[in-house]
Amino acid sequence: MEGGIIKDAFDYVEELFRANSGGHDAAHSVRVYKNAMLIASKEPPCDTTVVALAALLHDADDHKLFNTENNENARAFLSTHGADSEMTERICKAIDQVSFSKNRGKTPSTPEARIVQDADRLDAIGAVGIARTFAYGGEHGRSLEMSIQHFYDKLLLLSREMNTDTAKELARSRHEYMEGFLKEFENETKEE
Ligand code: NI
């Protein structure tokens, strides 16, 4: 089932987010998948099928986008693609532990969840993080200054909260890039 189900998961998220466009899109899920596979390749052994599917499906039941309970979309996909119940539970557990707001200060309990959480957080910082923040802000009627505040409230904290050494390393340059951006923004907008 391995290769087939992962390929099908790409198609599934593409379709799912097409119907529910917004700041979260299929491209975000694909970037999280890529980050997660990169981290997984450098960290101690883990189940890469669980990592891949949890990464691709991690926002399939995001409450901001979908009116589902108990990972209904992810479970529907997995059950129609031959994942057994043990695999399904492991993937859903990882998905449940990824969310920043629901899990503030808690470290995920499995290596697969720690990797996917790091991968999702990496996509919230750096150049991609800056682009996503202003896209989301624009969509929700926020001023530039309100979006800037989001960096101080959340995004600048993320590099210190990575679980894996690989993600800490990857986060460093992204963090510095954001700091440089904020400094430049401040320079250009300060009142003399
Ligand atoms: Ni996400």
Side-chain angles (χ1 to χ4, degrees), residues 24 28-29 32 55 58-59 62 98 120-121 123 132:
H24 277 74
H28 164 65
S29 300
V32 172
H58 82 278
D59 276 337
D62 186 314
V98 168
D120 191 37
R121 289 175 171 182
D123 204 54
R132 289 179 68 207

Side-chain angles (χ1 to χ4, degrees), residues 34-36 38-40 42 118-119 122 125-126 159 162 164-176:
K34 286 183 180 159
N35 290 341
L38 176 63
I39 298 167
K42 294 171 192 280
D118 282 356
L122 281 172
I125 62 176
S159 72
M162 297 293 168
T164 64
D165 289 342
T166 305
K168 278 179 195 144
E169 184 65 36
L170 293 167
R172 192 171 305 145
S173 62
R174 292 182 184 225
H175 182 85
E176 282 166 11

Side-chain angles (χ1 to χ4, degrees), residues 86-162:
E86 195 244 330
M87 167 80 82
T88 300
E89 291 318 313
R90 290 173 67 201
I91 292 166
C92 288
K93 188 175 180 185
I95 291 172
D96 288 340
Q97 294 187 343
V98 168
S99 159
F100 179 85
S101 51
K102 275 189 277 179
N103 295 287
R104 203 62 226 282
K106 277 187 261 168
T107 303
S109 59
T110 65
E112 291 81 11
R114 289 194 284 275
I115 288 170
V116 178
Q117 185 180 68
D118 282 356
D120 191 37
R121 289 175 171 182
L122 281 172
D123 204 54
I125 62 176
V128 172
I130 294 169
R132 289 179 68 207
T133 299
F134 289 100
Y136 184 87
E139 217 172 39
H140 291 82
R142 292 185 186 162
S143 67
L144 294 184
E145 285 69 22
M146 286 161 83
S147 289
I148 290 287
Q149 187 57 41
H150 184 63
F151 288 86
Y152 295 99
D153 293 341
K154 173 176 170 182
L155 305 185
L156 289 173
L157 309 177
L158 290 180
S159 72
R160 267 174 275 154
E161 298 188 3
M162 297 293 168

